[in-house]
mmCIF file of all heavy atoms in Angstrom:
data_model
loop_
_atom_site.group_PDB
_atom_site.id
_atom_site.type_symbol
_atom_site.label_atom_id
_atom_site.label_comp_id
_atom_site.label_asym_id
_atom_site.label_seq_id
_atom_site.Cartn_x
_atom_site.Cartn_y
_atom_site.Cartn_z
ATOM 1 N N VAL J 270 114.557 92.907 83.459
ATOM 2 C CA VAL J 270 114.721 93.919 84.505
ATOM 3 C C VAL J 270 114.266 95.250 83.933
ATOM 4 O O VAL J 270 114.217 95.440 82.711
ATOM 5 C CB VAL J 270 116.185 94.022 84.992
ATOM 6 C CG1 VAL J 270 116.654 92.728 85.633
ATOM 7 C CG2 VAL J 270 117.110 94.434 83.861
ATOM 8 N N ASN J 271 113.937 96.167 84.815
ATOM 9 C CA ASN J 271 113.538 97.501 84.373
ATOM 10 C C ASN J 271 114.730 98.230 83.770
ATOM 11 O O ASN J 271 115.857 98.136 84.266
ATOM 12 C CB ASN J 271 112.988 98.304 85.551
ATOM 13 C CG ASN J 271 111.674 97.744 86.051
ATOM 14 O OD1 ASN J 271 110.892 97.171 85.292
ATOM 15 N ND2 ASN J 271 111.416 97.888 87.339
ATOM 16 N N MET J 272 114.472 98.965 82.690
ATOM 17 C CA MET J 272 115.520 99.736 82.030
ATOM 18 C C MET J 272 115.030 101.144 81.767
ATOM 19 O O MET J 272 113.857 101.360 81.475
ATOM 20 C CB MET J 272 115.950 99.077 80.713
ATOM 21 C CG MET J 272 116.711 97.785 80.890
ATOM 22 S SD MET J 272 117.699 97.409 79.436
ATOM 23 C CE MET J 272 118.646 96.010 80.010
ATOM 24 N N HIS J 273 115.965 102.076 81.869
ATOM 25 C CA HIS J 273 115.643 103.475 81.579
ATOM 26 C C HIS J 273 116.846 104.091 80.879
ATOM 27 O O HIS J 273 117.947 104.129 81.440
ATOM 28 C CB HIS J 273 115.338 104.238 82.868
ATOM 29 C CG HIS J 273 115.044 105.697 82.645
ATOM 30 N ND1 HIS J 273 113.939 106.140 81.945
ATOM 31 C CD2 HIS J 273 115.731 106.807 83.018
ATOM 32 C CE1 HIS J 273 113.954 107.454 81.902
ATOM 33 N NE2 HIS J 273 115.026 107.891 82.553
ATOM 34 N N LYS J 274 116.653 104.541 79.662
ATOM 35 C CA LYS J 274 117.713 105.149 78.865
ATOM 36 C C LYS J 274 118.944 104.240 78.798
ATOM 37 O O LYS J 274 120.070 104.653 79.074
ATOM 38 C CB LYS J 274 118.092 106.529 79.423
ATOM 39 C CG LYS J 274 116.980 107.557 79.319
ATOM 40 C CD LYS J 274 117.433 108.901 79.847
ATOM 41 C CE LYS J 274 116.339 109.946 79.710
ATOM 42 N NZ LYS J 274 116.764 111.275 80.260
ATOM 43 N N GLU J 275 118.685 102.995 78.474
ATOM 44 C CA GLU J 275 119.734 101.994 78.298
ATOM 45 C C GLU J 275 120.380 101.547 79.614
ATOM 46 O O GLU J 275 121.278 100.710 79.618
ATOM 47 C CB GLU J 275 120.836 102.499 77.347
ATOM 48 C CG GLU J 275 120.346 102.913 75.966
ATOM 49 C CD GLU J 275 119.696 101.766 75.195
ATOM 50 O OE1 GLU J 275 120.178 100.632 75.313
ATOM 51 O OE2 GLU J 275 118.717 102.025 74.473
ATOM 52 N N GLN J 276 119.959 102.118 80.740
ATOM 53 C CA GLN J 276 120.486 101.707 82.035
ATOM 54 C C GLN J 276 119.515 100.732 82.684
ATOM 55 O O GLN J 276 118.314 100.989 82.751
ATOM 56 C CB GLN J 276 120.665 102.926 82.954
ATOM 57 C CG GLN J 276 121.632 103.961 82.407
ATOM 58 C CD GLN J 276 123.060 103.443 82.347
ATOM 59 O OE1 GLN J 276 123.537 102.798 83.270
ATOM 60 N NE2 GLN J 276 123.745 103.736 81.253
ATOM 61 N N CYS J 277 120.053 99.604 83.179
ATOM 62 C CA CYS J 277 119.157 98.616 83.771
ATOM 63 C C CYS J 277 119.271 98.623 85.290
ATOM 64 O O CYS J 277 120.216 99.173 85.868
ATOM 65 C CB CYS J 277 119.437 97.217 83.213
ATOM 66 S SG CYS J 277 120.943 96.459 83.787
ATOM 67 N N ASP J 278 118.305 98.024 85.928
ATOM 68 C CA ASP J 278 118.276 97.909 87.377
ATOM 69 C C ASP J 278 119.319 96.874 87.790
ATOM 70 O O ASP J 278 119.048 95.674 87.827
ATOM 71 C CB ASP J 278 116.874 97.492 87.833
ATOM 72 C CG ASP J 278 116.720 97.480 89.341
ATOM 73 O OD1 ASP J 278 117.751 97.415 90.050
ATOM 74 O OD2 ASP J 278 115.573 97.514 89.822
ATOM 75 N N LEU J 279 120.521 97.333 88.101
ATOM 76 C CA LEU J 279 121.636 96.438 88.372
ATOM 77 C C LEU J 279 121.470 95.690 89.689
ATOM 78 O O LEU J 279 121.939 94.559 89.829
ATOM 79 C CB LEU J 279 122.950 97.214 88.369
ATOM 80 C CG LEU J 279 123.321 97.869 87.028
ATOM 81 C CD1 LEU J 279 124.612 98.673 87.171
ATOM 82 C CD2 LEU J 279 123.460 96.822 85.926
ATOM 83 N N ASN J 280 120.811 96.297 90.648
ATOM 84 C CA ASN J 280 120.580 95.617 91.923
ATOM 85 C C ASN J 280 119.620 94.444 91.750
ATOM 86 O O ASN J 280 119.842 93.358 92.300
ATOM 87 C CB ASN J 280 120.051 96.611 92.961
ATOM 88 C CG ASN J 280 121.120 97.579 93.421
ATOM 89 O OD1 ASN J 280 122.015 97.226 94.180
ATOM 90 N ND2 ASN J 280 121.031 98.817 92.956
ATOM 91 N N LYS J 281 118.561 94.661 90.976
ATOM 92 C CA LYS J 281 117.626 93.569 90.687
ATOM 93 C C LYS J 281 118.336 92.469 89.904
ATOM 94 O O LYS J 281 118.140 91.269 90.161
ATOM 95 C CB LYS J 281 116.439 94.115 89.881
ATOM 96 C CG LYS J 281 115.496 93.060 89.314
ATOM 97 C CD LYS J 281 114.713 92.333 90.385
ATOM 98 C CE LYS J 281 113.749 91.305 89.777
ATOM 99 N NZ LYS J 281 112.778 91.888 88.831
ATOM 100 N N LEU J 282 119.187 92.867 88.967
ATOM 101 C CA LEU J 282 119.926 91.889 88.180
ATOM 102 C C LEU J 282 120.819 91.039 89.082
ATOM 103 O O LEU J 282 120.861 89.811 88.958
ATOM 104 C CB LEU J 282 120.772 92.600 87.128
ATOM 105 C CG LEU J 282 121.704 91.712 86.298
ATOM 106 C CD1 LEU J 282 120.918 90.670 85.519
ATOM 107 C CD2 LEU J 282 122.554 92.565 85.357
ATOM 108 N N GLY J 283 121.514 91.682 90.005
ATOM 109 C CA GLY J 283 122.393 90.951 90.905
ATOM 110 C C GLY J 283 121.649 89.926 91.741
ATOM 111 O O GLY J 283 122.088 88.779 91.885
ATOM 112 N N ALA J 284 120.503 90.323 92.286
ATOM 113 C CA ALA J 284 119.705 89.409 93.105
ATOM 114 C C ALA J 284 119.225 88.219 92.277
ATOM 115 O O ALA J 284 119.233 87.070 92.748
ATOM 116 C CB ALA J 284 118.521 90.159 93.714
ATOM 117 N N THR J 285 118.831 88.484 91.040
ATOM 118 C CA THR J 285 118.351 87.413 90.161
ATOM 119 C C THR J 285 119.470 86.430 89.833
ATOM 120 O O THR J 285 119.271 85.208 89.839
ATOM 121 C CB THR J 285 117.782 88.007 88.864
ATOM 122 O OG1 THR J 285 116.697 88.889 89.181
ATOM 123 C CG2 THR J 285 117.277 86.911 87.932
ATOM 124 N N LEU J 286 120.648 86.941 89.560
ATOM 125 C CA LEU J 286 121.778 86.075 89.201
ATOM 126 C C LEU J 286 122.214 85.209 90.376
ATOM 127 O O LEU J 286 122.574 84.042 90.192
ATOM 128 C CB LEU J 286 122.939 86.929 88.703
ATOM 129 C CG LEU J 286 122.703 87.622 87.357
ATOM 130 C CD1 LEU J 286 123.803 88.631 87.068
ATOM 131 C CD2 LEU J 286 122.615 86.601 86.228
ATOM 132 N N LEU J 287 122.179 85.749 91.583
ATOM 133 C CA LEU J 287 122.559 84.940 92.747
ATOM 134 C C LEU J 287 121.595 83.776 92.923
ATOM 135 O O LEU J 287 122.009 82.670 93.300
ATOM 136 C CB LEU J 287 122.587 85.802 94.010
ATOM 137 C CG LEU J 287 123.094 85.089 95.267
ATOM 138 C CD1 LEU J 287 124.539 84.624 95.095
ATOM 139 C CD2 LEU J 287 122.962 85.984 96.495
ATOM 140 N N GLN J 288 120.324 83.994 92.629
ATOM 141 C CA GLN J 288 119.341 82.909 92.712
ATOM 142 C C GLN J 288 119.655 81.789 91.722
ATOM 143 O O GLN J 288 119.232 80.644 91.910
ATOM 144 C CB GLN J 288 117.937 83.460 92.458
ATOM 145 C CG GLN J 288 117.426 84.373 93.561
ATOM 146 C CD GLN J 288 116.103 85.040 93.211
ATOM 147 O OE1 GLN J 288 115.559 84.843 92.128
ATOM 148 N NE2 GLN J 288 115.575 85.830 94.130
ATOM 149 N N LYS J 289 120.417 82.096 90.688
ATOM 150 C CA LYS J 289 120.809 81.099 89.691
ATOM 151 C C LYS J 289 122.177 80.491 90.037
ATOM 152 O O LYS J 289 122.800 79.834 89.210
ATOM 153 C CB LYS J 289 120.838 81.730 88.299
ATOM 154 C CG LYS J 289 119.487 82.261 87.841
ATOM 155 C CD LYS J 289 119.578 82.888 86.462
ATOM 156 C CE LYS J 289 118.231 83.486 86.056
ATOM 157 N NZ LYS J 289 117.180 82.459 85.926
ATOM 158 N N ASN J 290 122.623 80.712 91.272
ATOM 159 C CA ASN J 290 123.901 80.197 91.776
ATOM 160 C C ASN J 290 125.089 80.771 91.007
ATOM 161 O O ASN J 290 126.140 80.132 90.870
ATOM 162 C CB ASN J 290 123.952 78.669 91.749
ATOM 163 C CG ASN J 290 124.990 78.121 92.722
ATOM 164 O OD1 ASN J 290 125.232 78.705 93.778
ATOM 165 N ND2 ASN J 290 125.616 77.016 92.375
ATOM 166 N N ILE J 291 124.933 81.988 90.517
ATOM 167 C CA ILE J 291 126.056 82.719 89.938
ATOM 168 C C ILE J 291 126.574 83.632 91.039
ATOM 169 O O ILE J 291 125.973 84.654 91.347
ATOM 170 C CB ILE J 291 125.619 83.502 88.685
ATOM 171 C CG1 ILE J 291 125.190 82.512 87.600
ATOM 172 C CG2 ILE J 291 126.747 84.388 88.178
ATOM 173 C CD1 ILE J 291 124.681 83.153 86.336
#
Side-chain angles (χ1 to χ4, degrees):
V270 297
N271 292 330
M272 290 202 172
H273 178 65
K274 295 182 178 179
E275 303 299 323
Q276 299 293 317
C277 73
D278 186 340
L279 297 177
N280 288 286
K281 171 68 179 302
L282 175 61
T285 300
L286 291 170
L287 185 62
Q288 291 173 359
K289 298 179 183 296
N290 202 33
I291 295 177

